[in-house]
Amino acid sequence: MKLWDGRFSKSTDPMVDDFHSSIRFDSRMYKQDIQGSMAHAKMLGECGIIPVQDAVLIYKTLQEILADIENGKVTFEIGAEDIHMNIEKILIERIGDVGKRLHTGRSRNDQVALDIRMLLKEEATEIQSQLKKLIQGLIGMAEKNLDTIMPGYTHLQRAQPITFAHHLMAYVQMFLRDVDRLKDCYRRMNVMPLGSGALAGTTYPLDRAFVAKELGFDGITDNSLDGVSDRDFVLELASALSILMMHLSRFCEEIILWSAHEFSFIELDDAFSTGSSIMPQKKNPDVAELVRGKTGRVYGNLMALLTVMKGLPLAYNKDMQEDKEAIFDSVDTVKMCLPVFTQMVLTMKVRNDKMLNAAKGGFTNATDIADYLVKKGVPFRDSHGIIGKMVAYCIKNNKNIDELSLQELKEFSGRFEEDVYAAIALETCVNGRRLPGGPAADSVKASIQRAREQLME
Ligand code: ARG
């Protein structure tokens, strides 16, 4: 017995029931489905489309069903296909003919579009608050490391000295953009599709704005075909989450490198690392590796969703049922990664000494000594050449630039004076870069301030 079997002379093959049923994964939208139905019923009553006392009974019974689901008293049936029909079926079992009035002026096509929007709005909000906790943590860590000098890299080769705070604040910028992207895609999710019907709207005088207001939407969809067949908001979320995972994954890659003995810039907390079943000495950055690995599935979901949508004629097609597992998996993956990643980063031990040592080697102050000569009147291109030779000399003699005597320096240019040593001290290199956005402690402090303000918005 199906809610739609009027025209059928046979029941569906059990294999088909199993094949097209989505209840295994869309039961997750039970709350949204019920809230949507409650608003729809209330509106039907207010507009005189069904008797008010029927609307009241439907509303009340849906509330009871919601409570029963939450108390584990309800089991869904594969045969009832999806969450929408499961709930309608339970409603009809409980209140008979009155329950049969609920679906007036509605289709599962606009119903499912509504439910996903409602669910993803909640998920996008939750992910934003997880992100904000991460950002706050990183800002706090940056504040403690304003003077922690480390090498900055290009091509993974030591380039110029920066601070650990500056490095952390680079990730803060990325995560702030992620929050912004989520906000932006929330804005387009926040439009109410009921009233689109199956595809062509409905002849009932529904009050769409009433339902939108009741459910906390900003407005209503403007075209019934688009209302049921648009999944841009799913794609946008999948894409925002892919970018977010890419950021986490880049950070993880650095944490993995930094925790390798060869770097030893950080030490992961024991509670956030794992051992080897055979090698007793091992302490592995598995959490970071797994976040990096899970990035792949989130990208995969985005690709799956784009591919599902690419050939669909308007309006609804059953293919679109495939949207749910993909986007739910992306949401769940991100929600699982963010808190554990946050704790892993906040509990890791920063080895200032190792960072400083690494910055001292690798000639990270070579640009600054070149700039020193420029300030003494040497054209930059010439100065670049002079310091290049100096670096080659240092490599040959196994010395850092600041270990050369003034006499040795003068071999390269007569313009070197005693003040060169102060000019190329790592602290001078870092704190001289005080433009907005630079690594100098004051610049980073200002950046922290701006990030905090952005978080408040
Ligand atoms: N379970 C379906 C989905 O997720 C609901 C809409 C079904 N509509 C239909 N006409 N078959 O997309």
Side-chain angles (χ1 to χ4, degrees):
M1 185 58 193
K2 297 278 200 299
L3 291 177
W4 42 251
D5 66 1
R7 66 157 289 170
F8 289 79
S9 58
K10 275 189 190 173
S11 51
T12 3
D13 191 296
M15 208 158 59
V16 173
D17 276 342
D18 206 43
F19 180 65
H20 83 156
S21 168
S22 53
I23 189 66
R24 278 188 314 271
F25 47 86
D26 67 14
S27 60
R28 170 175 182 149
M29 307 190 297
Y30 71 87
K31 193 180 79 193
Q32 291 74 19
D33 193 74
I34 290 178
Q35 287 169 343
S37 289
M38 285 166 66
H40 181 67
K42 191 165 170 187
M43 179 276 296
L44 290 175
E46 297 274 329
C47 296
I49 300 168
I50 66 171
V52 172
Q53 66 273 22
D54 287 2
V56 171
L57 182 59
I58 292 172
Y59 193 94
K60 214 182 85 217
T61 311
L62 283 169
Q63 243 170 350
E64 289 163 11
I65 296 173
L66 179 57
D68 288 350
I69 295 173
E70 275 168 357
N71 294 323
K73 290 193 206 145
V74 174
T75 43
F76 297 123
E77 288 170 26
I78 298 253
E81 209 177 310
D82 54 26
I83 187 61
H84 326 294
M85 291 206 291
N86 263 280
I87 287 175
E88 196 180 336
K89 190 159 176 275
I90 298 167
L91 179 73
I92 294 170
E93 278 161 11
R94 294 194 183 183
I95 56 173
D97 285 350
V98 174
K100 293 181 187 165
R101 296 192 195 281
L102 168 65
H103 210 51
T104 312
R106 191 178 66 170
S107 157
R108 264 188 302 155
N109 297 351
D110 56 359
Q111 191 177 354
V112 72
L114 174 76
D115 293 1
I116 315 169
R117 282 176 185 269
M118 288 173 68
L119 181 82
L120 295 185
K121 275 170 62 179
E122 278 181 35
E123 300 288 18
T125 307
E126 162 74 14
I127 293 171
Q128 278 182 60
S129 68
Q130 287 185 334
L131 264 175
K132 286 181 180 172
K133 281 186 197 138
L134 170 60
I135 294 171
Q136 255 147 8
L138 292 176
I139 289 178
M141 213 168 174
E143 265 176 331
K144 289 192 207 109
N145 286 283
L146 287 164
D147 302 313
T148 307
I149 290 177
M150 72 180 281
Y153 293 82
T154 63
H155 314 273
L156 200 56
Q157 306 281 321
R158 280 174 276 186
Q160 290 175 341
I162 56 168
T163 65
F164 189 49
H166 192 52
H167 200 104
L168 290 171
M169 289 306 290
Y171 282 102
V172 165
Q173 287 300 315
M174 299 179 223
F175 295 129
L176 283 170
R177 286 196 296 274
D178 289 325
V179 172
D180 208 41
R181 260 186 286 276
L182 287 168
K183 274 192 195 156
D184 198 44
C185 89
Y186 183 98
R187 193 165 57 79
R188 276 181 294 275
M189 265 174 209
N190 202 10
V191 189
M192 205 288 300
L194 280 194
S196 302
L199 76 159
T202 174
T203 54
Y204 296 100
L206 307 182
D207 187 345
R208 299 189 62 203
F210 176 95
V211 176
K213 188 152 180 259
E214 193 75 11
L215 295 173
F217 280 90
D218 253 4
I220 58 176
T221 54
D222 197 74
N223 177 294
S224 63
L225 294 171
D226 186 52
V228 290
S229 66
D230 166 36
R231 293 293 182 273
D232 290 4
F233 58 95
V234 180
L235 292 169
E236 284 185 41
L237 181 62
S239 146
L241 297 182
S242 295
I243 297 173
L244 157 52
M245 286 301 293
M246 178 269 289
H247 293 152
L248 287 180
S249 188
R250 291 182 77 175
F251 207 157
C252 284
E253 172 64 17
E254 297 204 305
I255 286 169
I256 294 162
L257 281 172
W258 292 344
S259 64
H261 181 75
E262 287 73 3
F263 274 85
S264 300
F265 285 3
I266 56 131
E267 204 180 304
L268 288 173
D269 193 82
D270 278 358
F272 286 85
S273 16
T274 43
S276 156
S277 60
I278 171 169
M279 298 167 282
Q281 86 283 14
K282 293 280 275 179
K283 181 170 163 185
N284 295 328
D286 282 29
V287 172
E289 290 170 32
L290 208 43
V291 171
R292 189 178 60 182
K294 283 178 188 294
T295 303
R297 65 193 290 161
V298 175
Y299 289 5
N301 292 331
L302 171 62
M303 227 39 230
L305 286 164
L306 284 166
T307 312
V308 164
M309 294 306 292
K310 78 179 268 287
L312 300 187
L314 300 188
Y316 178 83
N317 300 268
K318 186 80 168 199
D319 314 46
M320 290 162 67
Q321 180 167 288
E322 287 288 312
D323 62 355
K324 290 171 207 63
E325 282 161 295
I327 193 64
F328 293 169
D329 183 69
S330 287
V331 162
D332 290 341
T333 303
V334 168
K335 277 172 39 181
M336 193 162 41
C337 288
L338 273 173
V340 62
F341 177 87
T342 302
Q343 275 316 103
M344 173 183 69
V345 172
L346 296 186
T347 54
M348 73 192 189
K349 196 157 122 213
V350 181
R351 295 290 308 268
N352 308 39
D353 55 330
K354 299 280 186 185
M355 290 184 179
L356 182 62
N357 259 337
K360 281 182 180 159
F363 309 106
T364 59
N365 52 4
T367 314
D368 293 81
I369 193 162
D371 288 341
Y372 172 90
L373 284 183
V374 169
K375 281 169 204 151
K376 302 272 176 177
V378 180
F380 180 75
R381 208 31 81 201
D382 291 342
S383 159
H384 186 287
I386 294 169
I387 307 304
K389 290 203 180 73
M390 183 186 291
V391 168
Y393 173 87
C394 285
I395 293 171
K396 201 162 149 223
N397 294 283
N398 197 20
K399 281 183 174 177
N400 286 329
I401 294 175
D402 45 31
E403 285 164 355
L404 301 180
S405 66
L406 191 55
Q407 202 184 338
E408 276 173 304
L409 288 172
K410 280 187 185 289
E411 297 283 321
F412 293 93
S413 163
R415 314 221 187 185
F416 283 118
E417 310 283 347
E418 194 57 43
D419 62 351
V420 64
Y421 296 104
I424 63 169
L426 295 182
E427 295 74 21
T428 320
C429 301
V430 168
N431 287 316
R433 291 175 161 75
R434 47 192 313 121
L435 292 178
D442 285 342
S443 299
V444 176
K445 268 189 216 157
S447 158
I448 287 174
Q449 178 62 23
R450 286 190 298 270
R452 286 227 162 92
E453 280 161 19
Q454 221 175 313
L455 265 188
M456 300 293 222
E457 279 169 16

